[in-house]
């Protein structure tokens, strides 16, 4: 028996997820699969399209053996905390042999080497990082350059500075690096694997083939309000599960559906907004001021957005 762990959101389970599942099983030679899945709210600070039970049902119908919920306190957080929660959960089961994640890079050895440096923080790396920071560089830039210096000096990888920067700035690579870092920190026996993402970019909003991003699927459903519009990009099992829910009057959830409730809570709790988790750095003042000039959730998010507050930070904060 060999058990494969998958860290997923399945929002919803589409053809790309089925490809990833099948290729991961093939690559790891797994006999069983366990998916750690976000619940009703997701890593980027958005509600799931359908509830966690519906998404778990679709996952099992498409071949996943067991779905375990990733608690919201981890699911709606940064890549580091999200990954730590997921890997800790898998590791605590004491039966998972491997994980396999999609990445833009596709070479797990490169990701592993980078992760190990970031976890171990060799003295030469720290000296280089400190130098770049003292030159006034932002931390992400300084860290990237210090990494390249260390890798190049010790000839750990044959990699250009441009490629390293691309790896460190690609969304799925970032998650992959955090998965591996968590495995190393936990001294876990789980072995990491990766497969290259195919065809569609993670944030692409267009449907151009039978494999597209979940973002594109959600946009299609929101714009057309027609489940049949996504039939070619999701497995038949997913389509049947989702259509059954809609036929029973359980419709997709989009973040603007709860704008009125959110507005009421912000106004009601104006004096205690800073007691909510992750509401800090004065963002509570910006939220309260902006609610009176915003007609939609998008208006509110755009009003709060600044160099200090990223859109992802805003989404997660409003969900809290």
């Amino acid at each position: 028996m060999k058990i494969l762990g998958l860290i997923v959101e399945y929002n919803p389970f589409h053809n790309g997820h089925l490809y990833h599942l099948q290729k991961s099983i093939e690559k790891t030679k797994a006999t069983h699969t366990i998916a750690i899945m976000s619940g009703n709210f997701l890593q980027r600070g958005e509600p799931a399209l359908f509830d966690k039970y519906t998404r778990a049902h679709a996952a099992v119908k498409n071949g996943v053996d067991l779905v375990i919920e990733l608690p919201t306190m981890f699911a709606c957080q940064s890549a580091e905390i999200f990954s730590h929660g997921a890997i800790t959960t898998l590791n605590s089961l004491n039966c998972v042999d491997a994980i396999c994640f999609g990445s833009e890079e596709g070479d797990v050895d490169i990701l592993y080497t980078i992760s190990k440096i970031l976890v171990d923080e060799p003295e030469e790396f720290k000296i280089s990082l400190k130098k770049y920071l003292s030159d006034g560089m932002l931390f992400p830039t300084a860290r990237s350059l210090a990494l390249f210096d260390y890798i190049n000096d010790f000839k750990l990888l044959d990699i250009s500075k441009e490629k390293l920067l691309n790896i460190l700035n690609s969304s799925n690579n970032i998650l992959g690096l955090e998965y591996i870092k968590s495995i190393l920190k936990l001294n876990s026996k789980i072995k990491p694997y990766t497969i290259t993402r195919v065809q569609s970019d993670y944030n692409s909003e267009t449907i151009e083939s039978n494999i597209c991003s979940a973002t594109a699927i959600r946009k299609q459903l929101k714009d057309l309000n027609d489940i049949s519009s996504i039939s070619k990009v999701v497995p038949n099992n997913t389509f049947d599960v989702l259509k059954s829910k809609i036929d029973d009057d359980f419709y997709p959830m989009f973040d603007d559906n709860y704008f009125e409730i959110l507005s009421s809570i912000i106004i009601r709790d104006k004096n205690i907004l800073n007691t909510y988790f992750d509401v800090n750095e004065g963002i509570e003042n910006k939220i309260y001021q902006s609610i009176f000039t915003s007609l939609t959730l998008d208006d509110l998010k755009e009003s709060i957005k600044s160099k200090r507050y990223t859109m992802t930070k805003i989404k997660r904060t409003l969900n809290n």
Side-chain angles (χ1 to χ4, degrees):
M1 179 185 294
K2 186 170 186 180
I3 298 178
L4 166 67
L6 302 166
I7 301 167
V8 301
E9 293 191 314
Y10 290 158
N11 188 40
F13 190 107
H14 54 64
N15 289 341
H17 293 136
L18 183 61
Y19 173 88
H20 172 252
L21 174 62
Q22 293 171 341
K23 288 295 181 183
S24 296
I25 291 172
E26 178 184 320
K27 188 159 196 170
T28 61
K29 297 180 172 54
T31 57
H32 299 82
T33 54
I34 298 175
I36 303 299
M37 188 184 78
S38 302
N40 293 329
F41 288 86
L42 309 177
Q43 202 253 332
R44 288 191 293 174
E46 299 170 343
L49 195 65
F50 289 90
D51 66 90
K52 59 190 178 184
Y53 302 107
T54 300
R55 287 162 35 243
H57 184 196
V60 171
K61 292 284 284 185
N62 281 290
V64 176
D65 294 305
L66 174 66
V67 179
I68 298 175
E69 181 180 359
L70 178 65
T72 303
M73 65 178 292
F74 295 114
C76 298
Q77 294 299 324
S78 65
E80 183 177 9
I81 299 173
F82 175 90
S83 301
H84 174 73
I87 294 297
T88 299
T89 303
L90 284 172
N91 192 59
S92 69
L93 299 175
N94 292 318
C95 65
V96 177
D97 299 288
I99 62 164
C100 190
F101 53 88
S103 68
E104 294 85 359
E105 168 51 40
D107 186 334
V108 76
D109 291 334
I110 290 177
L111 299 178
Y112 190 93
T113 298
I114 294 170
S115 299
K116 189 155 179 34
I117 296 169
L118 295 176
V119 169
D120 293 345
E121 292 192 322
E123 190 62 29
E124 295 86 351
F125 167 75
K126 289 196 288 188
I127 290 171
S128 185
L129 176 61
K130 186 176 180 180
K131 173 186 174 299
Y132 286 122
L133 289 172
S134 66
D135 289 341
M137 293 184 182
L138 295 174
F139 180 81
T141 303
R143 187 183 70 162
S144 299
L145 293 174
L147 265 172
F148 179 75
D149 288 348
Y150 186 81
I151 289 170
N152 193 49
D153 289 346
F154 289 89
K155 301 186 180 350
L156 300 177
L157 296 170
D158 183 13
I159 189 172
S160 68
K161 189 178 296 185
E162 291 71 25
K163 181 173 181 178
L164 180 61
L165 289 173
N166 284 335
I167 289 172
L168 296 173
N169 289 306
S170 300
S171 54
N172 290 281
N173 288 338
I174 291 170
L175 277 172
L177 290 168
E178 293 299 338
Y179 296 149
I180 297 171
K181 283 170 62 181
S182 292
I183 288 172
L184 291 169
K185 289 175 183 178
L186 291 169
N187 196 27
S188 172
K189 294 180 180 178
I190 296 174
K191 184 175 180 180
Y193 294 82
T194 190
I195 59 173
T196 308
R197 284 183 62 86
V198 294
Q199 294 190 34
S200 151
D201 179 73
Y202 179 69
N203 293 311
S204 171
E205 295 187 353
T206 59
I207 294 177
E208 298 175 352
S209 68
N210 67 336
I211 292 182
C212 69
S213 70
T215 302
I217 293 173
R218 294 191 295 271
K219 186 175 188 302
Q220 187 88 346
L221 278 176
K222 186 174 184 179
D223 292 348
L224 301 182
N225 193 29
D226 179 8
I227 188 66
S228 65
S229 67
I230 66 167
S231 60
K232 75 173 186 178
V233 292
V234 299
N236 291 336
N237 285 323
T238 297
F239 184 82
D240 291 343
V241 169
L242 300 188
K243 186 175 185 305
S244 175
K245 294 297 291 188
I246 291 173
D247 289 345
D248 288 339
D249 295 328
F250 288 92
Y251 297 101
M253 170 63 72
F254 301 101
D255 53 6
D256 52 2
N257 292 143
Y258 61 88
F259 177 65
E260 289 186 10
I261 296 173
L262 180 63
S263 300
S264 300
I265 292 172
I266 291 170
I267 294 170
R268 182 195 69 192
D269 293 348
K270 71 175 227 178
N271 294 322
I272 59 169
L273 288 177
N274 63 351
T275 65
Y276 282 83
F277 180 74
D278 209 30
V279 178
N280 49 37
E281 300 179 354
I283 196 172
E284 68 275 8
N285 300 317
K286 189 67 173 173
I287 291 172
Y288 183 72
Q289 293 164 6
S290 299
I291 198 65
F292 295 102
T293 58
S294 302
L295 299 177
T296 66
L297 185 59
D298 284 340
D299 288 345
L300 178 60
K301 289 185 291 192
E302 286 297 331
S303 296
I304 300 169
K305 185 180 177 183
S306 67
K307 290 182 179 179
R308 188 175 185 182
Y309 310 124
T310 66
M311 187 57 77
T312 301
K313 158 77 173 174
I314 293 164
K315 287 180 180 179
R316 290 179 185 142
T317 299
L318 292 176
N319 267 331
N320 291 327

